[in-house]
């Protein structure tokens, strides 16, 4: 039996996934969480074989949670299941140690097959997304530059970003300057647009 933990902030989606997976003879949903910062504790308590993880969740996002699971429970595999088929997400998911990445509009049988393959230690990636990611090339941004740019998404000030990321305002300005230079843009909003279009976020 493959033991699965569902991590998704939408109750309806979690319920639908649980109902779909309950139809499979060899898959058992052993737990559900709605926040990224609840995942590691549940993995520790339940010891699932696979975590089905959404990307955008409160607390910490699914990619950070995936990295934390890999660091604390290496026997548990992570399968990212997201609405957002972005190349940047796929790249970051692989960096975080996730074995699989599929989009939520995949057929139910494809999801069950992906869970089985990930549980066996095989890599499963949406082929269209994989091709787009390879075509996009490697990101020139460091992890911290990417964090600062993502924190700037909602129009946050330098002071806001510094507070969120526990950095000094000078350090945030330096990261933003570096990102603007690397993307060949004139300001942080243009840099954000360019990085998103290139699949670097």
């Amino acid at each position: 039996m493959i033991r699965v933990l569902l991590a998704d902030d939408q109750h309806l989606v979690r319920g639908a996934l649980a109902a779909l997976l309950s139809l499979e003879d060899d898959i058992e949903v052993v737990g559900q969480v709605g926040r990224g910062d609840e995942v590691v504790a549940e993995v520790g308590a339940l010891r699932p074989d696979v975590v089905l993880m959404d990307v955008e969740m409160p607390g910490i996002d699914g990619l950070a949670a995936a990295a934390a699971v890999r660091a604390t429970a290496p026997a548990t595999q992570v399968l990212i299941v997201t609405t957002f088929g972005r190349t940047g997400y796929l790249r970051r998911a692989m960096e975080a140690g996730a074995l699989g990445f599929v989009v939520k509009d995949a057929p139910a049988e494809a999801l069950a097959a992906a869970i089985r393959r990930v549980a066996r230690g095989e890599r499963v990636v949406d082929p269209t997304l994989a091709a787009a990611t390879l075509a996009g090339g490697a990101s020139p941004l460091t992890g911290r530059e990417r964090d600062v740019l993502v924190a700037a998404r909602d129009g946050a000030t330098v002071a806001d970003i510094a507070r969120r990321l526990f950095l000094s305002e000078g350090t945030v300005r330096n990261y933003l300057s570096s990102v603007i230079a690397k993307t060949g843009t004139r300001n942080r909003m243009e840099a954000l647009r360019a990085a998103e279009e290139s699949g670097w976020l």
Side-chain angles (χ1 to χ4, degrees):
M1 201 61 143
I2 301 169
R3 294 163 54 78
V4 174
L5 172 67
L6 300 179
D8 194 302
D9 63 331
Q10 296 179 314
H11 295 286
L12 197 60
V13 172
R14 277 202 322 268
L17 285 170
L20 277 173
L21 295 176
S22 71
L23 302 174
E24 304 294 328
D25 294 336
D26 58 341
I27 296 173
E28 179 189 7
V29 175
V30 295
Q32 300 182 30
V33 295
R35 295 176 57 89
D37 51 7
E38 295 172 341
V39 173
V40 169
E42 282 298 284
V43 166
L46 300 172
R47 298 287 174 202
D49 301 302
V50 176
V51 180
L52 227 60
M53 187 103 68
D54 190 19
V55 173
E56 297 195 351
M57 289 187 287
I60 60 173
D61 71 24
L63 303 175
V69 168
R70 298 304 297 145
T72 58
T76 296
Q77 305 298 347
V78 176
L79 173 60
I80 301 290
V81 183
T82 182
T83 309
F84 304 101
R86 295 181 187 153
T87 59
Y89 279 170
L90 171 57
R91 195 183 304 279
R92 286 180 58 208
M94 297 298 110
E95 288 170 5
L99 269 189
F101 192 104
V102 296
V103 288
K104 282 181 181 169
D105 61 1
E109 59 273 16
L111 180 59
I115 290 169
R116 291 183 188 104
R117 288 181 60 194
V118 166
R120 291 194 300 265
E122 298 174 22
R123 193 174 290 287
V124 181
V125 177
D126 179 272
T128 307
L129 202 54
T133 300
L134 287 171
S139 170
L141 306 181
T142 67
R144 221 40 176 147
E145 287 169 349
R146 193 167 53 202
D147 292 343
V148 167
L149 201 51
V150 168
R153 256 194 187 130
D154 59 359
T157 65
V158 167
D160 292 335
I161 297 167
R163 259 194 312 278
R164 280 181 207 169
L165 300 178
F166 305 101
L167 299 170
S168 73
E169 291 183 28
T171 301
V172 169
R173 283 192 193 90
N174 288 342
Y175 281 132
L176 287 172
S177 295
S178 176
V179 166
I180 289 165
K182 285 179 178 180
T183 54
T185 53
R186 292 173 298 182
N187 57 53
R188 74 175 86 158
M189 296 322 287
E190 283 186 13
L192 185 57
R193 235 185 341 267
E196 283 180 335
E197 285 167 5
S198 300
W200 297 337
L201 296 181

